[in-house]
Amino acid sequence: MQGSLAQRISLPACCHPLLIHTARDCWYTSAALEMMELEDKDLLRKQAALFPLPKGVKFSYGTAGFRTDAALLPSTVFRMGVLAALRSLCTKRATGLMITASHNPVHENGVKLADPSGGMLNVAWEPYSDMLANAPDVENFLQIVEHIVKRENIQSGNAASGEVLLARDTRPSGEALVSAARQGVEAVRGTVAHDMGVLTTPQLHWVVRSFNNGVPASESDYFHQLSDSFRCASIDGDADRLVYFYIPEKHEDGYSGPVCTLHLLDGDKIAAIFGLFIIGQLHILAGSKSSVSDATTAHKAVVPGYGEVKFAVVQTAYANGASTNYIKQVLGLEVATTPTGVKHLHKKAEQYDIGIYFEANGHGTILFNEIFSQWLQDASVQQKEAEHRQAAKRLVAVNEMVNQAVGDALSGILMVEVVLRYQGWSVEQWDSMYKDLPSRQLKVKVKDRAVIITTPDETRVASPSSLQEAIDTEVGKYKGGRAFVRPSGTEDVVRVYAEASSQQSADALAQAVCVLVYHLAGGVGPEP
C-alpha cells in the first residue's frame, strides 16, 4: 500500500490536507463494499442546497466548536447535524448538538457536538468538522460525507437507529439554527433528532450521557439528581428571607420510592445552628471544656479579658416549641420572646453582646454589640493561645459576613454553608438537631378583634382572663401541648396557633381553642 491516506481513498483535492490529520489510517477489504450506501443521496443533496456556504468565510472547529456571527452559521449547523448523525450511526449510540456561543455577544452563535460518552467530540472526528464546514459546494460536501461513511465503516441505518439530541441557549437566533441542525440530522437515513429545548451546555452533555446509560435523561431528571445530591436553599422575592429544604432518599419508614416528604429547615433551624456555632467559639475563648449539651451554665459565657458575654436567641411565639427547648436545654442559651414582627425582634437583639433573631419564615440575622466587636478584633491578634485567637477570628468573620442592618438571605446562605462545613455536617445531620413538634394555625372571625388583649410577648391573653384560663385547661389535655391566640393587625379575626406531640393532637387542640375564642371573644358566623 503506497501513497497517502487521502490518495488511497480518493478524497476531493480540497480535503486532502485536512484528512491527513485524522487518527486512524486504515485500509478496506471487500467487506467495505457492503458498508452503508447513501441511498438517499438525493435527499441529502436537496437539503444541503438549502444551506450554501457563505462566501469568503473559513471555519475552524476548536474546543468551543464553531462560533461566529449567527447569520453566517446555517450551513455549518446543517452540516454538523449531518456529522452528528454519522457519529451516532458509527457508534450506535446517541450524540448531542448544542447551539450556543457561551459568553459571546448576543448577535453571535455557535455549534458544538457531544460524543456518546457525554464528553466533547472525539478528536479523531474534529477534522471531519472542518472539512464538512468548509466544503465549497454541495457536490464536494457529498463526497466528503461518502468517504466518512466508508472510512468509519458506517453501516446502513434502519429506522431510528441513530439519534441526535439537540439543545440551544436563549439567543434569538437559536431556534432557526436548531431547525437547520434538525434538517441535517434527518437528511441522513436512519437517524432522528430530539429537540431538548433550552438547556445549558453542561446539561446537554449530561443528558447525552444519561440517555446512553439508559437512565432518565430529561431536564427535570437533571435537577432531580442535583436535589438528591445537594441541599437546596430558597429565598423570597426581595431576598430577605431564607429557608433550606431537602428530599430524603428514603421515607422515615424505610420505603424508597419516587414520592418522598420534603423536609423544611426554617428560620428556627437556622437560628439553632448559628447559636451552636457561636456558643462553641465562646466556649473556646472561655477555655471551657464543656460541650454545648452541658446547659448548667445557662446562657453565660465568661470570657477572660471581657467578662460575661450576653448572648441570646430572640424568637416570637410562632417559633416551634422544639426549637425553643433545644436552644434553652441543649445549647444553654437565653431565649427572649417578642411580639410578631422583625422590628420587635431586631430591637430586642440589640440589647445583647450577640443577639440572633429569626422568625420561622426565615427572616433574621445576627447582631454584634460594638464594644464586643472591638474586643474580638483585638483578641484575634492579642490572645496568647492560638486556639483562642482562631476562635476570635471566626467570630470576627461572622461579624463581617452577616448583614446586621436587616435579614439578608444571601449572606445567610453563606453563613449556613460555612457553619455546616465547620461542623462537617450534611443537611440531614443539621435537620436532626431536633424534631419539630406538629403544629396547626387557624383563625376565627370575631365582631371586634380589639376585645382580645395579649401580654407583650403575645404568648398569653391578658383580657378577657377567662379565655386564657380556658386555653390553659385545654392545653393541659395534650402531651407537649402549647397554644396561644392573637388578634390580627389588619382584620377582625383572631389567629390561633397550637402544637402538640402528634399532628392529630395539634389539630384537635387548635380546633378546641377556636371554639373557645368563638364563645368567649365574640365570634361571628358559624361556630368553628
Side-chain angles (χ1 to χ4, degrees):
M1 293 183 290
Q2 297 180 346
S4 70
L5 173 63
Q7 292 171 332
R8 293 203 301 272
I9 62 175
S10 303
L11 271 177
C14 66
C15 302
H16 290 186
L18 290 169
L19 189 60
I20 292 173
H21 299 291
T22 56
R24 294 192 299 166
D25 192 356
C26 53
W27 191 242
Y28 300 97
T29 65
S30 58
L33 299 176
E34 299 174 3
M35 290 186 295
M36 172 185 173
E37 295 181 3
L38 294 181
E39 298 173 1
D40 295 324
K41 186 184 294 185
D42 288 343
L43 172 61
L44 189 58
R45 176 183 287 107
K46 180 180 178 181
Q47 294 296 100
L50 300 176
F51 300 95
L53 181 73
K55 294 182 179 180
V57 179
K58 184 174 182 179
F59 297 98
S60 179
Y61 193 94
T63 302
F66 295 112
R67 289 184 189 172
T68 188
D69 190 296
L72 301 175
L73 277 174
S75 68
T76 300
V77 171
F78 169 83
R79 295 173 180 192
M80 290 308 98
V82 172
L83 185 61
L86 295 175
R87 181 67 177 160
S88 178
L89 291 173
C90 177
T91 61
K92 297 180 174 59
R93 302 176 76 196
T95 58
L97 184 152
M98 182 72 196
I99 302 296
T100 182
S102 186
H103 54 275
N104 285 27
V106 68
H107 69 275
E108 297 187 3
N109 217 323
V111 56
K112 62 193 306 184
L113 304 186
D115 235 29
S117 65
M120 296 181 181
L121 177 66
N122 189 306
V123 293
W125 279 60
E126 286 187 8
Y128 296 152
S129 303
D130 287 348
M131 287 188 287
L132 290 172
N134 292 292
D137 53 45
V138 171
E139 293 308 315
N140 274 278
F141 168 73
L142 291 176
Q143 289 182 54
I144 295 169
V145 170
E146 286 184 291
H147 286 287
I148 293 173
V149 168
K150 290 180 181 179
R151 185 171 184 276
E152 298 297 337
N153 194 25
I154 298 174
Q155 303 297 321
S156 180
N158 299 318
S161 59
E163 297 177 275
V164 180
L165 311 182
L166 310 177
R168 61 184 174 86
D169 65 17
T170 58
R171 295 165 191 270
S173 57
E175 289 191 50
L177 291 176
V178 164
S179 176
R182 175 185 287 277
Q183 292 179 67
V185 170
E186 296 183 348
V188 177
R189 185 168 65 89
T191 60
V192 295
H194 303 287
D195 189 349
M196 307 302 293
V198 174
L199 296 177
T200 66
T201 300
Q203 283 176 331
L204 175 69
H205 284 269
W206 181 91
V207 166
V208 170
R209 181 176 184 272
S210 298
F211 185 91
N212 286 319
N213 287 341
V215 298
S218 68
E219 182 184 17
S220 62
D221 294 316
Y222 169 85
F223 285 115
H224 185 72
Q225 176 172 298
L226 291 185
S227 65
D228 282 349
S229 304
F230 297 94
R231 55 188 166 267
C232 300
S234 177
I235 63 178
D236 68 338
D238 58 353
D240 64 357
R241 300 181 188 185
L242 165 68
V243 295
Y244 272 72
F245 65 92
Y246 70 98
I247 300 174
E249 292 184 3
K250 293 185 178 180
H251 294 276
E252 293 181 0
D253 61 5
Y255 168 73
S256 179
V259 180
C260 293
T261 302
L262 182 145
H263 284 230
L264 179 69
L265 294 87
D266 60 8
D268 295 342
K269 278 276 170 69
I270 295 172
I273 196 172
F274 287 178
L276 171 70
F277 175 78
I278 291 174
I279 194 60
Q281 305 311 308
L282 291 178
H283 282 167
I284 294 173
L285 283 169
S288 172
K289 301 300 182 182
S290 64
S291 69
V292 294
S293 61
D294 180 5
T296 57
T297 58
H299 61 79
K300 290 184 180 179
V302 180
V303 176
Y306 184 82
E308 180 184 339
V309 179
K310 296 180 179 179
F311 178 24
V313 176
V314 185
Q315 298 182 324
T316 71
Y318 284 105
N320 192 274
S323 73
T324 306
N325 292 338
Y326 177 86
I327 293 167
K328 284 182 177 180
Q329 298 172 12
V330 179
L331 300 185
L333 298 179
E334 176 183 352
V335 175
T337 306
T338 73
T340 302
V342 173
K343 63 181 180 181
H344 301 297
L345 291 152
H346 193 101
K347 183 178 180 180
K348 186 66 176 179
E350 289 178 325
Q351 298 176 13
Y352 299 89
D353 293 321
I354 306 176
I356 299 175
Y357 74 83
F358 270 88
E359 293 184 297
N361 63 22
H363 194 156
T365 189
I366 307 172
L367 304 184
F368 284 77
N369 174 281
E370 289 186 8
I371 295 174
F372 185 59
S373 296
Q374 185 57 57
W375 184 87
L376 285 172
Q377 290 280 0
D378 297 340
S380 67
V381 177
Q382 298 172 3
Q383 286 283 316
K384 293 181 180 180
E385 299 290 337
E387 185 181 24
H388 295 178
R389 291 195 301 273
Q390 193 62 38
K393 288 179 180 178
R394 294 188 190 108
L395 291 177
V396 168
V398 173
N399 189 16
E400 295 174 348
M401 179 184 296
V402 297
N403 185 341
Q404 299 187 47
V406 71
D408 185 331
L410 299 182
S411 67
I413 289 174
L414 294 176
M415 182 66 187
V416 168
E417 296 299 320
V418 165
V419 175
L420 288 175
R421 176 62 65 88
Y422 177 83
Q423 295 292 138
W425 281 4
S426 65
V427 68
E428 291 88 351
Q429 289 171 301
W430 173 22
D431 193 25
S432 69
M433 292 175 78
Y434 62 84
K435 185 175 181 179
D436 282 327
L437 289 168
S439 63
R440 179 65 65 200
Q441 295 186 49
L442 300 173
K443 62 183 180 180
V444 183
K445 291 184 178 181
V446 295
K447 184 176 181 180
D448 181 8
R449 66 183 185 276
V451 168
I452 292 182
I453 301 174
T454 66
T455 56
D457 61 9
E458 298 181 335
T459 60
R460 296 182 65 82
V461 176
S463 178
S465 59
S466 58
L467 176 57
Q468 185 59 55
E469 293 171 359
I471 292 174
D472 290 341
T473 299
E474 200 63 39
V475 167
K477 300 176 182 178
Y478 298 90
K479 181 181 178 181
R482 181 173 75 95
F484 67 89
V485 302
R486 56 180 289 269
S488 168
T490 58
E491 55 183 328
D492 281 325
V493 300
V494 175
R495 305 192 185 280
V496 174
Y497 177 91
E499 63 187 25
S501 59
S502 70
Q503 189 63 60
Q504 183 179 10
S505 294
D507 292 345
L509 177 55
Q511 180 63 29
V513 173
C514 284
V515 173
L516 294 175
V517 170
Y518 181 85
H519 288 290
L520 298 175
V524 297
E527 179 179 312

